[in-house]
Amino acid sequence: MDELNGGRIILPAGRKLASGSDPKPKRARLTLRALQKWSQQESQYIKGPVPRSKSSTNKAPGTSDAAYIDTLYGHGIKERILRKRSSPQLDDSAVFAVKDTAEKLANAEGTTNMILRTPMFPLEYGGLVEGGNTQWNTVAMPNIPRCYNKLSAPKPDAYLASPRGSESPWTVEQNNVVNHPRVRPYSQPVKRNTFPSLSLELKAESAGGVLTTAEAQAASSGSHSVNSMLWLLEEAKAAGLTEVDLVQDTEKKFYMSYLRSYSTFEADGIRGCNNTVKNIVDNANGPRDIKIGQALFALEPINDS
């Protein structure tokens, strides 16, 4: 997923924020038994299925549902470790600003999305635009017919994507493809921007939020973006683009990448999260944009079928 989509970060921003001293905490692989246990503990907060496209005939369990992990696996979404990233460090004043916000959240002062307005999450870096709390379409979601339950429509709390209009990275010809009805479900999960590259989910313990729900939600939006990239590259290859890096397999496989835990109270964690976000954005503006641009040129003029 990192080559196609820049990776994903899942940071639980709860009322009780992480303050452990271990900079590299170990993390056990999720099991259905563990998910079922957590789901029972948080059963009063479980919500119903997220609305999906009318064309779906099979139900989509809520992302808080313990059975949703089986749905993720059924559609080829699995887990692995990404390589480390590096970028310039934040200064001490920026680190202090993040810690100050974290203290306020720990004392139940303000909302959890305040953490996204700190230097820990440089969402304005790199010229991408921010969106969030808008339901994406389900057309571009992975769909393996033998898996009975369908994936829920993503609705990330926040995400970064390429801008439209005068700030768009695409030419007029490329935008002709981006805005074509056949391409639009893959290039624009929502109408405000194009090709999302980073999504974030925030959970507060006081509201019943749990990390496993955030992971399931991030897996949905991540697989949506990656599957959109795969569709675009496959279409470009069929149109004659030769330099297309696609893995041939009987079924598509999607991987959710665990990076590390970032403490909002520790300088290393704050700087590490800042670096990771910047590196993901750099990848989105660099290798990923190049792949998208080449594919869009190959598809111009776009066919209706």
Side-chain angles (χ1 to χ4, degrees):
M1 181 181 289
D2 56 321
E3 293 180 357
L4 286 173
N5 208 53
R8 285 295 183 277
I9 294 177
I10 311 165
L11 183 80
R15 297 294 184 186
K16 298 180 181 179
L17 300 174
S19 58
S21 59
D22 185 0
K24 296 182 178 180
K26 295 183 179 180
R27 180 175 182 273
R29 186 177 179 86
L30 292 175
T31 64
L32 180 58
R33 180 176 297 179
L35 287 171
Q36 289 173 330
K37 179 179 179 181
W38 292 328
S39 179
Q40 291 169 358
Q41 293 172 345
E42 303 293 338
S43 59
Q44 66 269 38
Y45 303 112
I46 291 178
K47 299 179 180 180
V50 177
R52 59 197 184 281
S53 59
K54 294 181 180 179
S55 61
S56 297
T57 57
N58 296 338
K59 64 179 182 178
T63 51
S64 299
D65 195 320
Y68 196 70
I69 195 67
D70 287 338
T71 303
L72 292 174
Y73 284 160
H75 288 275
I77 303 172
K78 298 179 173 65
E79 189 177 33
R80 67 180 176 87
I81 303 297
L82 275 181
R83 63 182 182 276
K84 293 183 179 180
R85 303 174 184 270
S86 62
S87 60
Q89 300 294 303
L90 288 175
D91 58 30
D92 291 341
S93 62
V95 171
F96 177 80
V98 176
K99 291 182 178 180
D100 183 59
T101 300
E103 287 286 352
K104 292 178 180 179
L105 292 176
N107 294 325
E109 300 174 11
T111 58
T112 53
N113 64 1
M114 288 171 53
I115 199 69
L116 296 182
R117 308 305 157 201
T118 70
M120 190 169 185
F121 290 89
L123 301 187
E124 297 180 357
Y125 168 81
L128 299 181
V129 294
E130 181 182 345
N133 292 316
T134 303
Q135 185 169 290
W136 294 6
N137 67 63
T138 57
V139 176
M141 293 297 289
N143 182 27
I144 295 178
R146 72 169 184 269
C147 183
Y148 175 76
N149 289 327
K150 299 302 179 184
L151 291 168
S152 299
K155 189 179 179 181
D157 292 327
Y159 67 90
L160 295 181
S162 297
R164 304 188 62 137
S166 61
E167 301 298 323
S168 171
W170 320 121
T171 66
V172 173
E173 292 77 15
Q174 288 171 317
N175 271 317
N176 288 338
V177 179
V178 170
N179 293 312
H180 191 277
R182 188 163 65 88
V183 181
R184 197 177 300 143
Y186 303 92
S187 64
Q188 303 167 57
V190 295
K191 296 180 179 180
R192 300 173 184 174
N193 41 60
T194 63
F195 298 107
S197 54
L198 169 65
S199 66
L200 302 106
E201 298 290 349
L202 301 173
K203 297 300 169 192
E205 289 182 344
S206 60
V210 290
L211 179 59
T212 52
T213 300
E215 288 180 334
Q217 291 170 339
S220 292
S221 58
S223 60
H224 187 292
S225 294
V226 173
N227 199 48
S228 295
M229 281 286 292
L230 290 174
W231 182 89
L232 183 69
L233 293 175
E234 288 169 351
E235 290 291 310
K237 183 177 180 181
L241 184 63
T242 57
E243 296 182 3
V244 179
D245 183 18
L246 290 174
V247 177
Q248 300 298 323
D249 201 347
T250 55
E251 286 185 358
K252 294 177 181 177
K253 297 294 189 297
F254 299 85
Y255 297 89
M256 184 174 177
S257 303
Y258 171 68
L259 299 178
R260 58 164 296 180
S261 297
Y262 297 108
S263 171
T264 54
F265 291 105
E266 297 178 1
D268 288 345
I270 293 169
R271 291 188 173 109
C273 185
N274 175 276
N275 290 343
T276 300
V277 172
K278 287 182 177 179
N279 286 328
I280 292 173
V281 173
D282 285 341
N283 182 77
N285 286 329
R288 186 171 184 266
D289 266 10
I290 292 174
K291 286 183 179 181
I292 293 174
Q294 291 173 339
L296 294 176
F297 267 130
L299 289 172
E300 169 65 17
I302 183 71
N303 297 321
D304 290 333
S305 60

